[in-house]
Amino acid sequence: MNQTDDPLLAVVSAYAAACEGLAAATTGRTGRGPQGALLAVTGAPIAALNGIISPSLNPSAEEIMALAAEGSPWEFPWSIHVRGVPGPLVAEAAARHGLTHFEREPLMIRYSDQGLPTEPDVDGLRIRAVPVDELGLYARTVAGGFEAPPEIFQIFADSSLAKVDGFTFYLAELDGVPVGTGMTAVAGGLTGIFNVATLPGYRRRGYGRAVTVEMVRAGFAAGAGTAYLYSSKMGEPVYQSVGFRTEEYLTVITAPA
């Protein structure tokens, strides 16, 4: 299938490439199937950050099974990511590995022809790119934003991530105190947006929206004015207010909690 038949293929492929870059920097455990499916193991104790991603609208169960065998033994929680509703063969392949929980995540896109969003204006909030020597602070703030133990997101403290082409990490601060985070992966004219999180005591003040707008503006400056992200259902209204629209869904298949 070519780009004309599948206009979102480039976006989903960019998402897969960002996951590949993260895994290559942290563990080096990556692989590709003949039809383009990706094996990416970051080593984080989060199923969504280890696994197999198929950018195709028609994923191959055989390719997924082969990559699952390549990733074995799976010493970390892992997952299978496919677009839309998984077919019975993919669901069966996942179930053979105990992956039977299905979670849908909206793919939201803001196209470059919508123009540059207005610069965020939130009193006292400073949003800045994080240098390599502050990635530990960044990782701790991400964990706090997602209300998770610090070790869950420790991979984002890995200094090798600063060397990944196109990756930028952001902190939002009030009077020098971190209150939120974001991350971009810029490649091929696209800005991938990740890790948008706000610390619990600072929510409902527009900080997550401000970080998102700042990252979209940075993407424009880098020549990547079309931005994409995978959202939670709760986050959809925030991103819609910035101009993102849901285009399709990603199904993440994991083991039951």
Side-chain angles (χ1 to χ4, degrees):
M1 179 175 291
N2 58 38
Q3 181 65 15
T4 303
D5 298 325
D6 182 5
L8 298 180
L9 179 60
V11 175
V12 183
S13 296
Y15 163 70
C19 295
E20 186 174 30
L22 187 62
T26 52
T27 68
R29 291 177 60 184
T30 66
R32 287 275 184 173
Q35 297 181 49
L38 167 71
L39 168 71
V41 180
T42 69
I46 305 170
L49 293 181
N50 305 294
I52 298 159
I53 303 168
S54 176
S56 172
L57 276 173
N58 299 297
S60 164
E62 292 79 7
E63 184 179 41
I64 289 170
M65 287 293 289
L67 288 172
E70 191 174 317
S72 182
W74 289 94
E75 63 268 47
F76 309 106
W78 66 289
S79 56
I80 295 171
H81 302 200
V82 295
R83 296 167 64 185
V85 178
L89 293 179
V90 170
E92 180 184 342
R96 290 182 190 176
H97 292 278
L99 308 183
T100 57
H101 177 73
F102 293 67
E103 191 80 29
R104 292 209 323 162
E105 297 183 359
L107 169 60
M108 305 187 73
I109 301 176
R110 187 186 191 281
Y111 292 98
S112 59
D113 60 10
Q114 294 173 245
L116 188 69
T118 303
E119 188 172 0
D121 182 17
V122 180
D123 286 346
L125 190 71
R126 179 193 181 203
I127 302 166
R128 64 182 178 90
V130 178
V132 63
D133 61 346
E134 291 188 84
L135 284 178
L137 174 62
Y138 174 83
R140 292 191 297 274
T141 308
V142 172
F146 286 110
E147 300 185 65
E151 59 270 18
I152 297 291
F153 289 97
Q154 187 60 30
I155 65 163
F156 291 105
D158 192 326
S159 61
S160 64
L161 293 181
K163 301 175 184 177
V164 179
D165 188 37
F167 279 15
T168 306
F169 304 88
Y170 294 88
L171 278 177
E173 298 171 323
L174 285 176
D175 299 322
V177 177
V179 299
T181 61
M183 169 190 162
T184 56
V186 174
L190 298 167
T191 297
I193 291 179
F194 305 88
N195 288 356
V196 178
T198 305
L199 296 181
Y202 298 92
R203 291 174 184 162
R204 301 187 182 280
R205 303 185 192 181
Y207 296 161
R209 184 183 188 279
V211 171
T212 303
V213 169
E214 183 61 31
M215 292 191 293
V216 171
R217 290 177 62 86
F220 263 89
T226 291
Y228 69 90
L229 55 86
Y230 284 100
S231 171
S232 64
K233 287 298 291 182
M234 186 183 303
E236 269 189 288
V238 174
Y239 300 123
Q240 286 171 349
S241 74
V242 181
F244 285 84
R245 293 294 178 264
T246 298
E247 298 281 356
E248 69 172 27
Y249 288 86
L250 183 77
T251 297
V252 181
I253 313 173
T254 61

